Amino acid sequence: MRDVLDDVYRRWQAGETVGLGTVVATFSSAPRSPGASMVVAPDGTVAGSVSGGCVEGAVYELAQEVVADRKPVLQRYGVTDDDAFAVGLTCGGIIDIYVEHLDRESMPELDKVVASVRSGEPVAIVTIIEHETPGLVGERMVVWPDRAEGSLGSSRMDDAVADDARGLLASGRTGTLHYGPDGQRRGEGMAVFVNSFEPPPRLLVFGAIDFAAAMARMGSYLGYQVTVCDARPVFATSSRFPDAHEVVVDWPHRYLTAESEAGRIDSRTAIAVLTHDPKFDVPLLEVALRLDVGYVGAMGSRKTHDDRFARLREAGLTEAELERLSSPIGLDLGARTPEETAVSIAAEIIALRWSGTGRRLAALSGRIHS
């Protein structure tokens, strides 16, 4: 809803009721991602898009019906070729669109959501879009990293969904989650849509090697915005790193300094230094270990690690700064291949983000999620 939030809020402030269609799931070659929205105002004007023009006409009519009936609808488009052409979805994809009415009564928390978005505070809107009890469809709560408002129907449901919504919010991801009717994680009967208002965290991978390709693929899978950076143009190419969102040819320390000065580095940023070459590593780590980022790891043997620490001490880094470095990088999984190593690094990043121990759950007791 981010793309139409200002328009929706303006109508909300004016006391108007709008119809809001939101993509909540996509399959195959659907043109828009979950979270894309279209708003239909009382005067018939439209803002936003749910399919780049394919099914807007059908959603427009459905939104008007939903506003009149005050009953939300979850509608699938493109189930068959005939259905696709009937509504204009000629790309062959399938999209699920949740259509609801929105006004001050149905969503009194919208002003708080808008305030959080404008201030850069992460926030997610969680809505029941399917439930075996029809009266619960449309119930919603607003989730922040440290609090929540509203209820989906029971404390058990609220606790389970809020916990999972924070996981999506932390990675900047929007999507649909499925539960049992009272929030049981293993069950069916309820689907909730988590609309996250937070850009995805960044993963900066330095060193255009085969391990970097696997790390880019893993980072993208986990919801990171992945950048691969290397000073050697012959190796730093988009064709070698198809899973990276960006491939940059630059000296690593110079690129990281520029990104920091531009305000594009934050406490969720993860940095993986895979070059294991001191002429790249040391200047880069001098910069990285003095930034407020979530993770800094560097690849190399024990010998490389010792040499790297000696060079960094000579460069003036303090022991406190050096303690922030994960070196050798990753958890002890016995990894051998680039793909296994990427899993090891990703596991360490996840463990640090959520204060996990990295130990086998079977060897622990108590709650799995703290």
Side-chain angles (χ1 to χ4, degrees):
M1 192 171 71
R2 183 187 291 272
D3 49 347
V4 298
L5 185 61
D6 289 342
D7 193 80
V8 169
Y9 187 50
R10 179 169 57 85
R11 301 284 183 177
W12 183 90
Q13 287 180 305
E16 298 178 356
T17 300
V18 300
L20 182 67
T22 302
V23 178
V24 296
T26 64
F27 310 90
S28 188
S29 56
R32 298 297 304 274
S33 301
S37 297
M38 184 180 87
V39 57
V40 179
D43 60 6
T45 58
V46 174
S49 170
V50 289
S51 68
C54 294
V55 304
E56 268 67 11
V59 175
Y60 178 85
E61 295 179 1
L62 181 57
Q64 292 180 315
E65 295 174 7
V66 167
V67 169
D69 297 339
R70 295 296 201 271
K71 292 182 179 179
V73 174
L74 179 63
Q75 181 67 51
R76 173 164 291 183
Y77 294 100
V79 177
T80 68
D81 288 342
D82 289 341
D83 289 341
F85 279 102
V87 299
L89 190 62
T90 56
C91 64
I94 300 172
I95 55 177
D96 286 348
I97 298 178
Y98 178 74
V99 184
E100 60 187 319
H101 74 281
L102 194 149
D103 52 25
R104 284 181 173 271
E105 182 180 354
S106 66
M107 192 173 179
E109 311 93 344
L110 185 60
D111 56 344
K112 296 180 181 180
V113 171
V114 171
S116 292
V117 172
R118 290 178 176 175
S119 68
E121 180 184 27
V123 61
I125 301 174
V126 182
T127 307
I128 297 179
I129 59 173
E130 279 188 297
H131 202 284
E132 62 181 28
T133 303
L136 290 178
V137 174
E139 293 297 318
R140 116 176 75 228
M141 65 190 304
V142 180
V143 177
W144 290 268
D146 59 349
R147 65 192 188 282
E149 290 189 12
S151 176
L152 302 180
S154 72
S155 58
R156 173 178 179 174
M157 193 183 303
D158 294 345
D159 291 343
V161 175
D163 190 31
D164 294 342
R166 289 188 178 103
L168 288 182
L169 184 59
S171 60
R173 302 173 73 176
T174 286
T176 298
L177 303 174
H178 297 271
Y179 301 88
D182 194 32
Q184 303 93 328
R185 285 193 169 91
R186 291 186 177 182
E188 299 179 350
M190 180 176 74
V192 302
F193 180 66
V194 181
N195 200 341
S196 296
F197 293 87
E198 175 75 337
R202 297 187 66 187
L203 171 63
L204 307 182
V205 182
F206 293 98
I209 62 176
D210 50 356
F211 288 91
M215 195 65 229
R217 186 158 55 251
M218 175 61 69
S220 180
Y221 175 73
L222 292 176
Y224 283 85
Q225 188 79 15
V226 181
T227 297
V228 174
C229 176
D230 195 295
R232 302 165 296 178
V234 68
F235 296 114
T237 64
S238 297
S239 61
R240 295 190 68 230
F241 301 97
D243 297 294
H245 298 89
E246 179 185 37
V247 179
V248 174
V249 179
D250 199 351
W251 280 85
H253 72 282
R254 186 168 62 190
Y255 172 74
L256 184 59
T257 299
E259 291 296 284
S260 175
E261 291 175 348
R264 291 190 285 266
I265 303 295
D266 61 28
S267 61
R268 301 177 303 147
T269 301
I271 297 173
V273 180
L274 308 184
T275 52
H276 48 76
D277 184 334
K279 69 175 177 289
F280 293 113
D281 287 2
V282 175
L284 172 59
L285 290 171
E286 281 187 65
V287 177
L289 292 173
R290 288 168 172 156
L291 296 178
D292 180 20
V293 295
Y295 175 86
V296 181
M299 177 179 281
S301 65
R302 297 288 181 187
K303 182 178 179 180
T304 299
H305 165 81
D306 292 339
D307 177 71
R308 181 188 294 133
F309 261 49
R311 291 173 183 266
L312 290 171
R313 287 190 180 97
E314 289 177 6
L317 270 75
T318 67
E319 293 304 313
E321 289 168 337
L322 290 174
E323 286 178 1
R324 300 183 56 228
L325 177 60
S326 295
S327 173
I329 198 170
L331 298 184
D332 179 18
L333 304 183
R336 295 291 187 272
T337 66
E339 291 74 19
E340 291 175 344
T341 302
V343 171
S344 168
I345 298 169
E348 184 176 41
I349 293 172
I350 293 169
L352 288 176
R353 177 196 289 175
W354 298 112
S355 300
T357 65
R359 297 174 58 195
R360 297 181 64 195
L361 289 173
L364 303 176
S365 60
R367 292 188 61 186
I368 294 176
H369 299 100
S370 60

